[in-house]
Amino acid sequence: MAYKRQIDRLPIVPADAKEHNVVCHYCIVGCGYKAYSWDIDKQGTTAPTGNKFNLDLSKQQGPDTDAWYAPSMYNIVKQDGRDVHLVIKPDKNCVVNSGLGSVRGARMAEMTYSSVRNTEQQRLTDPMVWRYGQMQPTSWDDALDLVARVTAAILANKGEDALFVSAYDHGGAGGGYENTWATGKLYFESLKIKNIRIHNRPAYNSEVHATRDMGVGELNNCYEDAELADTIVVVGANPLETQTNYFLNHWIPNLRGTSLDKKKAEFPNEAVEPGRIVIIDPRRTVTVNACEVEAGADRVMHLQINSGTDLVLFNAWLTYIADKGWTDKAFIGASTKDFDKAVAGNRTSLEEAARITGLTVDQIRQSAEWIAQPKGGGARRRAMFAYEKGLIWGNDNYRTNGALVNVALATGNVGRPGGGCVRLGGHQEGYSRPSDAHVGRPAPYIDQLLINGQGAVHHIWGCDHYKTTLNALQFKNAYKRRTDLVKDAMATVPWGDRQAMVNAILAAIDKGGLFSVDVDIIPTQIGQGSHVWLPAATSGEMNLTSMNGERRMRLTERYMDPPGRSMPDCLIVARLANHMERVLREMGKADLADKFKGYDWKTEEDAFMDGYHRHEKGGEFVTYARLRAMGTNGFQEPAVGLDTTGPVTAGTTTGQTPGMVVQGPTIEARGKEPAQKSEPSAAASTVPVASEGGKIIGTKRLYADGKFNTKDGKAIFMETKWRGLQASGKEEESKKFPFLINNGRANHVWQSAYLDQQNDFVMDRYPWPTIEMNPQDVTRLGLKQGDLVEVYNDNGSTQAIVYPTDRVKERQTFMLFAFPRGVQGNVVSAGVNEFIIPNYKQTWGNIRKLADAPEAVRGLSFKPQDYVAS
Ligand SMILES: Nc1nc2c(c(=O)[nH]1)N[C@H]1C(S)=C(S)[C@@H](COP(=O)(O)OP(=O)(O)OC[C@H]3O[C@@H](n4cnc5c(=O)[nH]c(N)nc54)[C@H](O)[C@@H]3O)O[C@H]1N2
Ligand SMILES: Nc1nc2c(c(=O)[nH]1)N[C@H]1C(S)=C(S)[C@@H](COP(=O)(O)OP(=O)(O)OC[C@H]3O[C@@H](n4cnc5c(=O)[nH]c(N)nc54)[C@H](O)[C@@H]3O)O[C@H]1N2
Ligand code: SF4
Ligand SMILES: [Mo]
């Protein structure tokens, strides 16, 4: 594909190139990168003094050289209005990735907006409004005036509950502490919006209520624990493809045995051996295959479980481990409660579990041994439990999550080296918001309310429900109908007559219409329904902070200009609030207008200081200057103090360092997500910001002191009885339709392909979403590889191309989720759990042929994408 990148040769990075800290803005892992930029008319030389790497580049470099970059890591972008060369390459000194890139992150540079090299020309450059029957550019003031007038009228006439909001709550691109604080302040402080949902689920709730209710925050260990564990237990996740460099840089060394020295040093009195891994997934993922290659098949157990039955397996583990006496009694006694109750309530025999999960009694017993049987010499086995969307979007989210945490607690594996019971994570995290207590629990099911005609105005921040929600086809149909009513009304009045325009919109809303505002970086699919698009700047075009899956917080520095007039989301919030205040004052609503004071931010740093710095635990220690000095390694949240003894260098310190200033935030789980966040403490800055010195001291592991997030500090075991397919309608669907339509991600594609859809590297490989099908099923349906098929059930229909593979069992399929040319969510039912958590993964449907492989598919390879020994 390199020929398509129009690269013949690449310039050498000159010695005086500017250097910026970058954290990959895609997945949770948050790999460290460096951005280098320099004037367009210059380049470095091969002499050591002439290049950034200080090496003689006229000589052949070794295979592991750092003095190298790929065509995908290069672009020409604008910086302060001038064209510059840009190279974004992995940082060897970042402890997260040690110089590794991934097929996503290593393409960051070619995914930037460049009018010189024609990349990402889809980016929005101006505010756009529905005018004369199509979207047309306008000024910020014009667009925001309309949004403010319609929103203000609705607030005044119908009240806050008529304003619906969809907003991301994560870190990385389309997120970060600056932006979640801004949207949070607008909707939870200035207003008390309760009809609000998050980017990936149809309500404002936690993905992992259960673990939090038990007192165990979900990001409680550190990446090093994967190198130290005796056994890694991974549930419903495919980390080679979805948490790539965490897997490659921290799991593989353990499986290969190359972290043995680390283990010996950490546990001098214990028998240590290379790590083992238990993988629970109905599908034989490439992760399973990679683990077998690296560890040898005898150290890998793949439990190819019946979809949705994980809870039964965990209850059986708990029962067996308790009966064998392999629990950590001292820990259970000192740090937990309700153990006996949970063991009694959850009692499940190996035989019963085998019957429901489709596993054998031996598999269940053996995996329990790998988790908890004491090691030679009697030491407790160190097991790390990691889970992601196969559990979170799986059957009976709340109880299944609780059942896994039960096993981790019972075996003493939380807060200890080589342990942890953690989400692997999706995006980076960047949650910082005022209290959401007014939303309530269960929170309103926003999608259903919108489908049923509620809501008058909808503000959308960086999410595309047309591609990513459940029951997506019904949602889209209803949304289109309601927003079309407003569009048609807008077409009857001239744009220049603002009052007539507002009146026409309000009248259409009264007839069931919905006024939609989409804040995004590109034209989205849900944006096809919107009346206003507000163009956002993203990571690298603004300064942005977030944390990764081990709570490692860094600052990504702005290395290029945003396209056109686009602005950071936090500043869009601020300007919208300014307009709201003005318009409400004009309307004579002084009380309402006063709520929109406090948005005089000029920069994203202002938003950071107003939010994270003032409101988050340990935030008083955290400033841009200190983060900048700590580079791509940053520190692990929460911050607990400052080390002022020496020069500031990158890295996290966790021990007691002489000369450190420790202010007392108690250690608490932090992460993505609302819920259970107490009112912000009035934590005024106790360390003067003016003195920017000092290295931030972080926290390597949570709960190392055995104290959990409950009133008495004791973690709570949970009763988690099996209740079959829990979400309404799922049991019937599973009986009615022949194929499981399992779904999720692939290595090359980032999310809904919002940037990838303009990138040949991805679109040549995935012109349509793939559906993995067992070769027996392909034959039985008379299909061939590459055929375009329809996937359908009572919820809706969608399309995909057939990818035959024995990675999936017969009668089971796996479809790429959220893809622009075939939305898997169209066939996902509206069924949710008691806290409105969707159940995307348990979907059943039928499959029929639409057409032979389209032209773009005919040249594709359908070889197995296996991991091979290197
Ligand atoms: N069937 C099925 N459905 C699923 C899932 C599944 O497994 N199966 N998984 C769910 C999960 S875990 C997730 S995370 C969701 C994802 O659902 P979404 O969050 O809706 O999907 P993304 O593609 O991540 O969309 C992000 C949008 O943000 C925009 N964006 C990017 N950067 C910025 C920025 O800086 N500012 C602004 N304002 N916008 C920006 C992008 O252009 C894009 O339109 O899908 C969920 N839906
Ligand atoms: N390449 C790439 N990486 C990404 C993303 C991306 O879009 N592309 N998105 C990021 C985001 S936002 C997220 S949330 C994460 C998601 O990361 P993951 O959770 O690892 O990804 P998924 O593919 O959604 O689902 C993981 C696995 O769950 C399995 N599964 C399905 N049903 C069940 C079940 O009943 N039980 C069990 N045990 N397993 C089941 C599926 O077979 C699948 O292999 O990935 C992040 N990383
Ligand atoms: S593993 Fe994740 S964070 Fe690291 S480079 Fe890849 S997408 Fe980016
Ligand atoms: Mo996600």
Side-chain angles (χ1 to χ4, degrees):
M1 221 64 62
Y3 71 94
K4 282 198 171 174
R5 294 189 166 116
Q6 300 168 324
I7 289 294
D8 171 51
R9 51 175 299 184
L10 294 161
I12 294 175
V13 183
D16 61 353
K18 269 193 227 161
E19 185 177 317
H20 292 103
N21 296 313
V22 173
V23 178
C24 174
H25 52 78
Y26 295 125
C27 87
I28 177 76
V29 181
C31 296
Y33 280 72
K34 290 279 179 181
Y36 300 102
S37 55
W38 66 98
D39 283 352
I40 191 72
D41 58 353
K42 288 206 187 114
Q43 65 167 307
T45 69
T46 55
T49 50
N51 64 69
K52 194 78 192 177
F53 314 110
N54 202 17
L55 286 170
D56 180 358
L57 295 178
S58 69
K59 300 232 166 69
Q60 175 68 48
Q61 304 293 309
D64 284 335
T65 182
D66 191 29
W68 170 91
Y69 69 89
S72 65
M73 300 175 193
Y74 173 73
N75 216 336
I76 297 174
V77 299
K78 288 247 189 301
Q79 205 176 65
D80 302 323
R82 297 162 53 116
D83 285 336
V84 294
H85 297 281
L86 174 74
V87 169
I88 309 179
K89 66 192 287 293
D91 181 4
K92 225 173 184 159
N93 297 318
C94 176
V95 294
V96 174
N97 53 314
S98 308
L100 294 179
S102 76
V103 68
R104 302 173 302 287
R107 289 187 293 115
M108 259 186 291
E110 73 173 18
M111 302 298 254
T112 55
Y113 175 77
S114 171
S115 47
V116 176
R117 297 181 73 249
N118 258 350
T119 53
E120 293 300 329
Q121 291 300 290
Q122 60 172 336
R123 287 289 303 274
L124 294 172
T125 54
D126 298 83
M128 304 282 282
V129 295
W130 183 257
R131 197 168 67 210
Y132 323 133
Q134 54 188 284
M135 294 309 280
Q136 298 277 8
T138 194
S139 66
W140 275 106
D141 278 345
D142 185 45
L144 289 175
D145 178 76
L146 181 70
V147 174
R149 281 183 193 281
V150 175
T151 306
I154 292 300
L155 289 177
N157 302 343
K158 298 187 194 280
E160 292 178 335
D161 290 353
L163 172 55
F164 277 51
V165 178
S166 297
Y168 53 72
D169 71 344
H170 53 73
Y177 288 114
E178 292 76 2
N179 297 329
T180 59
W181 172 255
T183 45
K185 178 166 166 138
L186 182 65
Y187 298 114
F188 290 165
E189 196 177 279
S190 298
L191 298 166
K192 288 269 179 282
I193 298 302
K194 80 166 198 280
N195 289 320
I196 176 166
R197 60 159 283 176
I198 293 167
H199 63 285
N200 66 1
R201 49 197 192 270
Y204 205 86
N205 49 16
S206 170
E207 286 176 21
V208 285
H209 271 315
T211 192
R212 291 180 177 197
D213 286 353
M214 296 165 82
V216 182
E218 64 270 21
L219 298 177
N220 46 60
N221 73 356
C222 59
Y223 282 1
E224 194 185 58
D225 286 324
E227 298 176 44
L228 297 175
D230 292 305
T231 303
I232 298 175
V233 181
V234 53
V235 183
N238 179 18
L240 173 56
E241 298 198 77
T242 55
Q243 293 87 15
T244 309
N245 290 330
Y246 178 27
F247 179 78
L248 295 175
N249 202 32
H250 300 277
W251 295 30
I252 287 210
N254 190 0
L255 300 174
R256 273 188 186 161
T258 50
S259 66
L260 268 185
D261 285 349
K262 235 184 216 181
K263 286 188 180 181
K264 279 182 198 141
E266 187 90 19
F267 316 124
N269 304 322
E270 293 178 23
V272 292
E273 53 178 49
R276 301 177 191 191
I277 187 162
V278 180
I279 303 164
I280 297 111
D281 196 312
R283 186 169 67 113
R284 189 182 148 76
T285 57
V286 69
T287 299
V288 176
N289 144 232
C291 290
E292 288 175 355
V293 168
E294 294 292 351
D298 58 337
R299 290 188 176 277
V300 181
M301 285 192 77
H302 176 209
L303 304 184
Q304 204 162 1
I305 197 167
N306 288 338
S307 173
T309 63
D310 301 70
L311 181 156
V312 184
L313 171 67
F314 307 155
N315 282 350
W317 279 346
L318 182 72
T319 307
Y320 187 74
I321 289 167
D323 288 355
K324 283 279 177 189
W326 293 340
T327 53
D328 187 334
K329 290 166 197 80
F331 172 81
I332 292 172
S335 295
T336 71
K337 57 188 179 203
D338 293 349
F339 174 70
D340 293 332
K341 216 165 106 188
V343 172
N346 300 345
R347 187 154 279 286
T348 305
S349 69
L350 297 180
E351 291 70 22
E352 189 188 356
R355 185 175 55 75
I356 298 172
T357 59
L359 303 169
T360 66
V361 166
D362 280 347
Q363 278 179 313
I364 301 173
R365 183 189 299 119
Q366 194 190 334
S367 51
E369 286 167 3
W370 283 23
I371 291 167
Q373 190 174 41
K375 300 196 274 189
R380 188 181 59 83
R381 201 170 283 278
R382 295 174 185 274
M384 172 185 129
F385 299 82
Y387 58 95
E388 197 46 45
K389 288 297 164 343
L391 185 155
I392 292 171
W393 302 148
N395 173 42
D396 215 351
N397 161 301
Y398 188 78
R399 292 191 183 188
T400 307
N401 184 201
L404 185 65
V405 180
N406 280 341
V407 179
L409 287 172
T411 53
N413 275 306
V414 185
R416 305 267 178 82
C421 184
V422 292
R423 276 192 61 191
L424 282 172
H427 299 84
Q428 279 152 75
E429 311 281 313
Y431 192 86
S432 177
R433 275 179 184 159
S435 166
D436 55 54
H438 63 279
V439 174
R441 176 170 166 178
Y445 190 164
I446 299 307
D447 285 27
Q448 288 303 308
L449 296 177
L450 283 171
I451 289 172
N452 293 331
Q454 300 206 33
V457 173
H458 187 203
H459 293 180
I460 308 161
W461 296 85
C463 33
D464 195 351
H465 308 331
Y466 275 22
K467 288 185 281 182
T468 59
T469 198
L470 68 175
N471 195 26
L473 195 64
Q474 266 210 43
F475 178 85
K476 177 174 169 171
N477 289 342
Y479 203 83
K480 179 173 189 307
R481 201 168 50 244
R482 297 191 60 198
T483 50
D484 275 351
L485 281 175
V486 173
K487 284 184 176 170
D488 294 346
M490 289 174 79
T492 63
V493 280
W495 183 259
D497 188 343
R498 182 57 30 112
Q499 197 51 55
M501 181 60 69
V502 171
N503 290 345
I505 293 170
L506 295 177
I509 288 172
D510 281 338
K511 291 189 190 118
L514 183 70
F515 180 73
S516 166
V517 182
D518 190 14
V519 189
D520 206 288
I521 62 173
I522 57 152
T524 62
Q525 292 199 354
I526 193 171
Q528 290 164 7
S530 300
H531 310 96
V532 179
W533 297 342
L534 301 177
T538 193
S539 186
E541 302 160 359
M542 63 179 290
N543 295 295
L544 193 72
T545 54
S546 52
M547 73 173 200
N548 79 349
E550 55 175 351
R551 294 162 283 102
R552 189 176 294 279
M553 180 176 184
R554 274 85 40 97
L555 168 70
T556 296
E557 297 175 277
R558 174 181 161 146
Y559 51 76
M560 63 179 283
D561 300 348
R565 297 195 172 93
S566 55
M567 286 197 296
D569 291 82
C570 53
L571 297 185
I572 299 177
V573 167
R575 298 298 83 83
L576 175 58
N578 299 153
H579 277 270
M580 291 291 297
E581 187 186 352
R582 174 182 60 83
V583 164
L584 284 161
R585 243 177 255 297
E586 268 176 46
M587 289 166 66
K589 306 268 178 198
D591 283 3
L592 263 177
D594 286 344
K595 295 186 175 187
F596 296 93
K597 284 181 171 168
Y599 294 90
D600 48 2
W601 309 327
K602 296 281 177 287
T603 65
E604 52 272 29
E605 189 170 6
D606 295 340
F608 181 82
M609 296 307 281
D610 188 37
Y612 190 94
H613 181 77
R614 280 187 47 216
H615 292 89
E616 292 306 317
K617 285 244 159 77
E620 65 267 33
F621 304 114
V622 186
T623 61
Y624 272 17
R626 289 196 186 111
L627 286 172
R628 202 170 272 132
M630 293 180 77
T632 55
N633 285 324
F635 75 97
Q636 286 173 275
E637 293 187 62
V640 293
L642 286 178
D643 175 0
T644 50
T645 49
V648 179
T649 48
T652 304
T653 317
T654 49
Q656 297 279 310
T657 316
M660 72 184 185
V661 186
V662 179
Q663 311 282 341
T666 51
I667 294 170
E668 189 206 32
R670 296 256 337 286
K672 175 193 281 207
E673 301 204 327
Q676 307 159 354
K677 213 167 136 27
S678 46
E679 288 290 339
S681 61
S685 181
T686 42
V687 176
V689 184
S691 82
E692 283 289 18
K695 184 170 149 186
I696 302 162
I697 300 168
T699 308
K700 188 164 179 174
R701 287 183 190 88
L702 301 186
Y703 317 125
D705 60 355
K707 297 225 164 20
F708 292 87
N709 275 356
T710 48
K711 281 213 177 74
D712 59 5
K714 292 192 185 234
I716 308 165
F717 282 92
M718 187 179 273
E719 270 190 65
T720 55
K721 282 204 178 71
W722 170 243
R723 46 181 170 172
L725 288 176
Q726 166 271 332
S728 138
K730 294 282 181 184
E731 184 67 38
E732 297 72 23
E733 188 178 285
S734 76
K735 296 212 169 87
K736 186 165 172 190
F737 294 98
F739 292 104
L740 172 73
I741 315 292
N742 185 2
N743 57 91
R745 288 141 175 98
N747 206 345
H748 308 69
V749 186
W750 175 247
Q751 293 290 89
S752 68
Y754 55 88
L755 291 179
D756 293 326
Q757 63 191 346
Q758 292 270 316
N759 182 271
D760 292 335
F761 176 80
V762 176
M763 293 315 284
D764 285 0
R765 189 74 188 88
Y766 290 92
W768 278 269
T770 48
I771 184 161
E772 295 178 359
M773 292 179 70
N774 187 281
Q776 303 288 337
D777 291 329
V778 175
T779 308
R780 192 175 305 121
L781 294 190
L783 300 169
K784 301 180 300 302
Q785 65 184 30
D787 279 357
L788 195 55
V789 290
E790 184 169 49
V791 180
Y792 62 100
N793 60 19
D794 294 341
N795 310 306
S797 51
T798 185
Q799 58 182 0
I801 53 173
V802 173
Y803 206 120
T805 170
D806 51 19
R807 286 196 186 282
V808 288
K809 288 185 174 175
E810 279 182 65
R811 303 283 174 192
Q812 300 194 0
T813 69
F814 183 84
M815 182 171 164
L816 186 61
F817 97 118
F819 207 73
R821 287 184 178 173
V823 170
Q824 196 279 336
N826 282 1
V827 293
V828 177
S829 79
V832 290
N833 86 341
E834 61 270 49
F835 300 118
I836 326 292
I837 300 295
N839 185 193
Y840 299 109
K841 301 297 190 203
Q842 275 73 45
T843 293
W844 286 266
N846 211 339
I847 296 171
R848 64 187 160 215
K849 180 163 170 168
L850 290 176
D852 287 340
E855 181 60 24
V857 175
R858 282 172 54 203
L860 286 190
S861 165
F862 288 88
K863 283 185 180 165
Q865 301 188 19
D866 283 351
Y867 179 98
V868 290
S870 56

